[in-house]
Amino acid sequence: MKPGRLASIALAVVLLPMVVPARAATIEISMENLVIAPAEISAKVGDTIEWINKDVFAHTATAKNGDFDVTLAPKKSATLVLKKAGTVDYYCRYHPNMKATLKVEP
C-alpha cells in the first residue's frame, strides 16, 4: 500500500466521527382523555416534539415561560423543533388541568 493512501485512510478514520452529525429524535406526546402523556419527558436541543391530539376537541401545548404555544385541532398533530435547553412546564389553555414538563438538554 502506498504511504500516501495509508495516511488518507487514517485521516478519514479520525475525521469521520466529526463529520457525521448526530441524528435528532422525534418524540411523540399524546393528548387523550384530557391527559398529556407522558407528563414528564426529556429531549435534546434539535429534537422534534410531535404532539398528537387523539381527542375530539382542540388542545394546546402552551409553555408557561412563553417558549411555545402550539394549537392542535381534534384528531390532528403538530410538531416543534427544540431550539434551546431548559425545563419547560406547559399546559392546555382550553383545559388547564392538562399539564406536563419538558426537560430539554443541550
Side-chain angles (χ1 to χ4, degrees):
M1 184 177 280
K2 295 181 182 177
R5 184 175 170 116
L6 184 59
S8 295
I9 292 171
L11 185 60
V13 169
V14 170
L15 293 179
L16 186 60
M18 291 183 247
V19 176
V20 178
R23 293 183 185 238
T26 297
I27 298 164
E28 293 182 357
I29 299 173
S30 68
M31 297 177 161
E32 185 174 21
N33 298 322
L34 299 175
V35 174
I36 299 173
E40 267 192 40
I41 196 159
S42 294
K44 294 184 179 183
V45 170
D47 287 352
T48 299
I49 299 297
E50 180 180 16
W51 285 280
I52 303 166
N53 182 357
K54 296 181 179 181
D55 284 328
V56 295
F57 32 84
H59 291 303
T60 71
T62 305
K64 289 184 179 181
N65 67 0
D67 277 0
F68 55 83
D69 189 10
V70 178
T71 301
L72 296 103
K75 302 290 184 183
K76 299 290 181 184
S77 64
T79 60
L80 174 78
V81 177
L82 301 172
K83 304 236 185 254
K84 68 179 189 177
T87 298
V88 182
D89 293 318
Y90 68 96
Y91 65 102
C92 173
R93 281 186 283 112
Y94 306 134
H95 311 98
N97 59 314
M98 295 176 64
K99 301 175 186 176
T101 301
L102 177 60
K103 296 177 182 176
V104 184
E105 300 169 358

